[in-house]
Structure formats: structure tokens, C-alpha cells
Amino acid sequence: MSDATPTPTATPERPQLPAQSPPVDPAETAVAGDKAASAGRLSWWRGDGGDGAKRNLGLIGVLAALIVVGAVTKPDLYGDPNWVWNNVLAILQLASVVGVVTVGMTFVIIGGGIDLSVGAIVALAGVWCTTVATQSYGAGGMIFTALAVGICVGLVNGVLISYGRLVPFIATLAMLVAARGLAASISNKQTQVSSSTFINDIAARKVIGIPILVYILGAVVLAGWVVLNRTTFGRRTIAVGGNPEAARLAGINVRRHTMLLYALSGLCCGIAAIMLTSQATSAQAAMANLYELDAIAAAIIGGTLLSGGRGTIVGSLLGVIIFATITNLFAINGLSIEAQNMVKGGIIVAAVLVQQFQFKSVTRLLARNRVTTAT
């Protein structure tokens, strides 16, 4: 007889019971709830919303300081309430055209791009809408042409950057040169006079004592704020600028969205072209010179990160008003444009340095204090 080897019998596995969580102390729960509530109350101050509010308050402080400088240097003018009111309107009217361009630039920079061609687009749209053929269609045809030219050129920028994989700096720099050249070719290097009474009256008319240009600026800023803060398009813009790869994995069509951002910038340039043409009652290829630098500088002053992912429309508007106030302040004091440009350059450098080191030390100090308090 041979020894029979017993065959193993399968035994059913015992089901794994869920791990028992330790009993929760009601006192610890209450403490955790108080900490969460405190963090929620302070999140506005420590988070992005708080940073934006603090930055805007700082910009308002800069404006107040400029007003004080004006009152000290020209007390006779600032002592006249009528002059002060008219001067405020003049500053807002001066900031209106660049302000509209800056709204579009803010969206582009938040989305991780840059647009060096905005001034050239304004010039091209202005020249194209003031040709004899376009003016024959009346004010409606001129407005439609300016907006269409701005959007189309912006779309070309967006296609080159999104689908042509060109670096935004190179693509928009090439468009700057090309658009200026096309504007000079269309106008034959001549100034084209606007014969439309409706267009020319936009800069001359006032409603309740406020120029129409200021209302246009307010409408564009309000629309930009709503789009950026209250729509899916705005949230996607922040996501694309903050982390394009994460935005793509989240289901956002990054290429299409980037193209639309440049089209939006072109639309703002078309609106600005009508406003600038109304102010000068004419258009030429050299108009809107260096507007791209003014718009970028205003956006940076307002807290928009050059790396993308963060920015505010209100901050950009305050940046535009600050530069317009500096220009006005230098003008009433009879100072040179060269000195004005040097001051602007210093402000831009200071704003970039503040962006690099903004609130880092304060945040670390608060975190260290929280850890010390907890222990």
C-alpha cells in the first residue's frame, strides 16, 4: 500500500471587516470646527482674493499720493473744485483708449501669453475703417470694419501661437511689424480724415457731464470683469495660464481657448481704434504707438502675473489710471516726457520686483506664528 497524499481542500476566505475608527472626542471635534471656521474667515485675507484686495488698496494709495503731490506742487489749481472735476474727467478720458486695450491684454497675460501687436492692430483697424470705400457705408460700416479687422488679426495671432506652435513673443512681434506695414500701405503713409459726424462726436459728446469715452471704458471693464470672474471662459483662462497641461487633462481645449483669447484682445483693439479715431478725427499708420508697452505695464502694475494664471481687471484699470495721472501730473508741472518715461520705467521695475517677493515673507511669518500657537 502506498501512502496517499491528502489533497488540500479550499477554504473560503474570511471577509475583511472594515477597520474600526477610534472614538472621536467631542471636544477635539469642536476645536477642529473652530479652527476651520477661523481659517474660513481668514481665507479671504490670506488667499488670492485677499491679495487682490490688498494690491488694489495699495494702488488706490498710490493714486492718493499722486493727488497729494499735485496739490502740493499746484495748490492754486487743486484749490478750484471745478478745475479738479474737469481734470479728473481729462485723466479718465486720457486713460480710456489704453484702458480698453489693457482689458484684452490682461486676458492674454492671465492665459499665459503676451501680445506685442495691440498698438499695430489699433492702427491697422483705424486706417482700414477710415478708407474712402469704408466710409461710404457710413458709421455702421466703419465700426463693423474696425471690429472685424481687430478680431481677424487677433485670430491670426491665436492660430500662429496655438496651432503653429510659435512663441507668443515672436508671433506678435512679427504681427506688430506686418500690421504697421499694411496700415502704411493702405493709407499710402498719409493721414486719413474721418468724415463721419457720428464717429467724430463720440469723443466730443458728454452724457450727464461725463464723456462718452469714459462710459465705453466702463462698459468694457465691466464686461471684462464679468467674463473673467463669473463665467466658465474666465475660469478656463486662469486654468490655462496657471498650468496648461493640467487644464488639458481636465478636458479644456487649450489651443482653441488660447486662440479665442487673442481674438478677444483683437476685439478690444478694434473698439480702441474707433475711440482713438474719434479723438483725432483721423487715422494714420503711426497711431497708437507703444500702446502695447502701456497696456503690459498697466496690467503688471495691477497685479497680473507675467507667467500667467492670476490677474484682475480692476487692478489693470487702476494701473492705467495711475499712468494717466502721472502723465497729467507731469503736464501741469511742465516736466519733460523723458522724465515721465523714466518714472514709468521705475514703477514697472518696482512692480515686477513686488510680484517676485510679494507677501512671501508675510505668509511665512503667519505660518510660523500658527505653528507656534498650535504647539
Side-chain angles (χ1 to χ4, degrees), residues 169-188:
F169 182 89
I170 299 300
T172 57
L173 181 62
M175 183 58 71
L176 182 154
V177 178
R180 289 283 183 189
L182 181 57
S185 177
I186 293 174
S187 63
N188 197 23

Side-chain angles (χ1 to χ4, degrees), residues 47-48 51-52 55 106 109-111 228 237-238 241-242 299 303-312 354-355 358-359:
D48 291 339
D51 288 348
R55 189 183 305 109
T106 302
I109 297 178
I110 293 176
L228 182 62
T237 299
I238 296 173
T304 302
L305 292 181
L306 280 174
S307 57
R310 193 182 71 184
T312 64
V354 169
Q355 278 191 0
Q358 188 176 25
F359 305 120

Side-chain angles (χ1 to χ4, degrees), residues 173-233:
L173 181 62
M175 183 58 71
L176 182 154
V177 178
R180 289 283 183 189
L182 181 57
S185 177
I186 293 174
S187 63
N188 197 23
K189 299 182 181 179
Q190 301 296 321
T191 299
Q192 298 182 163
V193 178
S194 171
S195 60
S196 173
T197 305
F198 179 84
I199 297 295
N200 296 340
D201 286 347
I202 292 177
R205 290 181 179 176
K206 294 183 178 181
V207 177
I208 319 178
I210 299 175
I212 293 180
L213 291 179
V214 178
Y215 285 107
I216 296 175
L217 173 62
V220 173
V221 168
L222 178 60
W225 185 89
V226 171
V227 171
L228 182 62
N229 297 280
R230 294 292 184 268
T231 66
T232 304
F233 185 88

Side-chain angles (χ1 to χ4, degrees), residues 251-330:
I252 299 175
N253 191 330
V254 176
R255 293 185 180 181
R256 183 179 64 185
H257 192 84
T258 301
M259 181 183 66
L260 293 177
L261 287 176
Y262 282 92
L264 177 60
S265 177
L267 173 62
C268 292
C269 291
I271 298 172
I274 294 295
M275 299 169 67
L276 193 57
T277 300
S278 175
Q279 284 183 316
T281 66
S282 62
Q284 57 180 332
M287 67 190 295
N289 188 34
L290 297 182
Y291 271 32
E292 54 276 357
L293 299 185
D294 291 339
I296 293 171
I300 295 173
I301 292 297
T304 302
L305 292 181
L306 280 174
S307 57
R310 193 182 71 184
T312 64
I313 299 297
V314 175
S316 296
L317 174 63
L318 291 174
V320 173
I321 295 176
I322 285 175
F323 280 125
T325 304
I326 292 174
T327 301
N328 177 267
L329 188 61
F330 275 63

Side-chain angles (χ1 to χ4, degrees), residues 4-297:
T5 303
T7 58
T9 59
T11 59
E13 295 182 358
R14 297 180 61 186
Q16 295 291 332
L17 296 177
Q20 297 292 327
S21 58
V24 179
D25 188 357
E28 294 181 0
T29 303
V31 172
D34 293 340
K35 290 182 178 180
S38 176
R41 287 190 295 268
L42 296 176
S43 62
W44 180 87
W45 179 255
R46 288 198 286 256
D48 291 339
D51 288 348
K54 288 181 285 185
R55 189 183 305 109
N56 292 341
L57 288 175
L59 294 174
I60 294 174
V62 171
L63 279 174
L66 291 174
I67 294 173
V68 171
V69 170
V72 171
T73 56
K74 291 291 182 179
D76 53 334
L77 296 179
Y78 278 83
D80 184 1
N82 292 328
W83 182 91
V84 171
W85 172 247
N86 292 329
N87 191 52
V88 169
L89 294 180
I91 291 173
L92 293 177
Q93 192 163 3
L94 177 65
S96 60
V97 179
V98 179
V100 170
V101 175
T102 303
V103 171
M105 181 68 76
T106 302
F107 274 92
V108 170
I109 297 178
I110 293 176
I114 197 75
D115 192 350
L116 301 179
S117 64
V118 289
I121 296 175
V122 172
L124 179 59
V127 166
W128 206 319
C129 77
T130 53
T131 59
V132 175
T134 304
Q135 292 194 56
S136 63
Y137 291 96
M142 295 176 65
I143 295 174
F144 174 80
T145 300
L147 299 181
V149 169
I151 294 173
C152 289
V153 178
L155 282 175
V156 172
N157 281 335
V159 169
L160 291 176
I161 294 168
S162 301
Y163 297 96
R165 302 297 182 91
L166 291 182
V167 178
F169 182 89
I170 299 300
T172 57
L173 181 62
M175 183 58 71
L176 182 154
V177 178
R180 289 283 183 189
L182 181 57
S185 177
I186 293 174
S187 63
N188 197 23
K189 299 182 181 179
Q190 301 296 321
T191 299
Q192 298 182 163
V193 178
S194 171
S195 60
S196 173
T197 305
F198 179 84
I199 297 295
N200 296 340
D201 286 347
I202 292 177
R205 290 181 179 176
K206 294 183 178 181
V207 177
I208 319 178
I210 299 175
I212 293 180
L213 291 179
V214 178
Y215 285 107
I216 296 175
L217 173 62
V220 173
V221 168
L222 178 60
W225 185 89
V226 171
V227 171
L228 182 62
N229 297 280
R230 294 292 184 268
T231 66
T232 304
F233 185 88
R235 291 190 291 271
R236 289 178 176 177
T237 299
I238 296 173
V240 169
N243 193 328
E245 182 61 22
R248 185 186 66 82
L249 295 176
I252 299 175
N253 191 330
V254 176
R255 293 185 180 181
R256 183 179 64 185
H257 192 84
T258 301
M259 181 183 66
L260 293 177
L261 287 176
Y262 282 92
L264 177 60
S265 177
L267 173 62
C268 292
C269 291
I271 298 172
I274 294 295
M275 299 169 67
L276 193 57
T277 300
S278 175
Q279 284 183 316
T281 66
S282 62
Q284 57 180 332
M287 67 190 295
N289 188 34
L290 297 182
Y291 271 32
E292 54 276 357
L293 299 185
D294 291 339
I296 293 171

